[in-house]
Amino acid sequence: MEQQSRTLRLSADRAEEIQTAGNLLKSGGLVAIPTETVYGLAANALDGRAVAAIFAAKGRPMDNPLIVHISQLDQWAALVSEIPPRAMELANRFWPGPLTIILPKSPLIPDEVSAGQATVAVRFPSHPVARAVIDAAGVPLAAPSANLSGSPSPTEAQHVLADLDGRIDAVLDGGPCRVGVESTVVTLAQEVPRLLRPGGITPEQLSQVLGRVEVDPAVMNPLAAGEKVLSPGMKYKHYSPKANVILVKGNLSAYLEYVNSRAEEGVFALCYDGEQEALRVPAVAYGAKQDAAGQARHLFDALRKLDQMGAKVVYARSPQPKGVGLAVYNRLIRAAGFEVVELG
């Protein structure tokens, strides 16, 4: 994509700058906005040309669908063909919040948003700035993560600028994101609800509302050859720093022995809080061992720090894939391109 002369820096603390962001979006521009999950690269979801510009700015494959963001529950009905009772039950329980619901789409949704599929993913974010921008724009916003495709998602405005400065119209700085990983995505466009991407809303929480919920095999494994990308985050390699990430499964003593035996220039560790001192390689911690929510909040920042520090190979401590930890595991295994070492 041809770079623009500059990306405008806007402050979420100023109402007039939120309105500036809304005006840019209304006129077909691209603006990175804060949400509770990660920063999103927003465009008018009803304008196929504006949405196509998102893909160009990110270098994102056009077969990867986008999520449409709304600021009021009553905006949902116009975007989908119908809202079944179980979908409304989910919305009443988890919206506004980090949950995306996939349903058959209405004619309002351009093919650029849905990647030519018959469904659309919709989310009602809890971040007040995200909702204020949607209101200021006067239209629902399509918004994937505001980063170069495949790189770690941005949880601060400076992460957005590191990837997209000069490629988008503006970034609205609303401070660090609270959740830190993208929203949970569940599809209701089939008989049995299916989790396509884990996030801050866990499979257990979904089951409390829906009963049986299948977990798509692509949550833990590579997408099968020729299989359609039904949700963002299902691509083979995603969320990845420039360094080669290797996920290491095993207890702490086995992890320390394995990593320390490979100490050489360019080798780094991604570990839990308090483990850095026992490692003979430079290390970045991404949270406490028992705090999956903290791991989620700090993961992408930690991956970006490893690149800044010059890491070439990163041996990452594997989180426990349960609860919010499933989301952390999903992001890390994709960052590693499914390269995993299993220790005894």
Side-chain angles (χ1 to χ4, degrees), residues 22 67 75 108 126-127 144 170 172 201 216 255-256 273 280 299 301 321 328 337 344:
I67 294 170
Q75 296 166 355
L108 277 180
S126 64
H127 200 296
L172 185 63
I201 304 300
D216 195 278
Y255 174 78
L256 294 174
D273 292 347
R280 298 188 196 127
L299 176 63
D301 184 56
V328 182

Side-chain angles (χ1 to χ4, degrees), residues 142-157:
S145 54
N147 57 330
L148 290 174
S149 186
S151 66
S153 298
T155 54
E156 299 180 15

Side-chain angles (χ1 to χ4, degrees), residues 33-167:
I33 64 171
T35 78
E36 72 275 22
T37 57
V38 300
Y39 275 73
L41 181 56
N44 180 352
L46 308 182
D47 180 348
R49 183 177 297 182
V51 171
I54 292 176
F55 290 88
K58 285 175 55 73
R60 181 185 178 96
M62 292 293 290
D63 68 344
N64 203 356
L66 305 182
I67 294 170
V68 177
H69 295 66
I70 58 176
S71 59
Q72 302 292 335
L73 188 58
D74 61 10
Q75 296 166 355
W76 191 17
L79 306 176
V80 297
S81 62
E82 66 171 332
I83 301 175
R86 63 184 182 178
M88 189 56 72
E89 289 171 14
L90 275 183
N92 289 335
R93 176 75 175 271
F94 298 115
W95 279 0
L99 175 67
T100 294
I101 301 172
I102 295 178
L103 289 169
K105 69 177 185 177
S106 81
L108 277 180
I109 300 298
D111 281 347
E112 289 86 351
V113 169
S114 61
Q117 297 179 46
T119 55
V120 63
V122 178
R123 183 163 101 79
F124 181 3
S126 64
H127 200 296
V129 175
R131 298 205 304 269
V133 174
I134 297 167
D135 288 341
V139 290
L141 300 178
S145 54
N147 57 330
L148 290 174
S149 186
S151 66
S153 298
T155 54
E156 299 180 15
Q158 65 189 31
H159 297 162
V160 176
L161 292 168
D163 277 12
L164 299 178
D165 195 11
R167 301 173 71 90

Side-chain angles (χ1 to χ4, degrees), residues 230-311:
L230 300 177
S231 162
M234 295 181 75
K235 284 288 194 178
Y236 175 73
K237 192 168 185 178
H238 217 57
Y239 319 110
S240 185
K242 297 180 181 68
N244 179 36
V245 177
I246 300 166
L247 197 61
V248 181
K249 295 183 177 181
N251 61 34
L252 176 58
S253 60
Y255 174 78
L256 294 174
E257 181 181 354
Y258 183 85
V259 177
N260 287 337
S261 70
R262 285 155 178 79
E264 59 181 63
E265 187 175 354
V267 172
F268 282 63
L270 180 66
C271 61
Y272 296 137
D273 292 347
E275 297 176 351
Q276 301 96 311
E277 296 78 6
L279 287 156
R280 298 188 196 127
V281 302
V284 173
Y286 71 103
K289 182 178 180 181
Q290 302 301 329
D291 182 11
Q295 294 166 23
R297 192 159 51 249
H298 299 298
L299 176 63
F300 289 137
D301 184 56
L303 290 174
R304 286 179 176 268
K305 281 180 180 173
L306 287 161
D307 273 344
Q308 293 166 8
M309 294 167 68

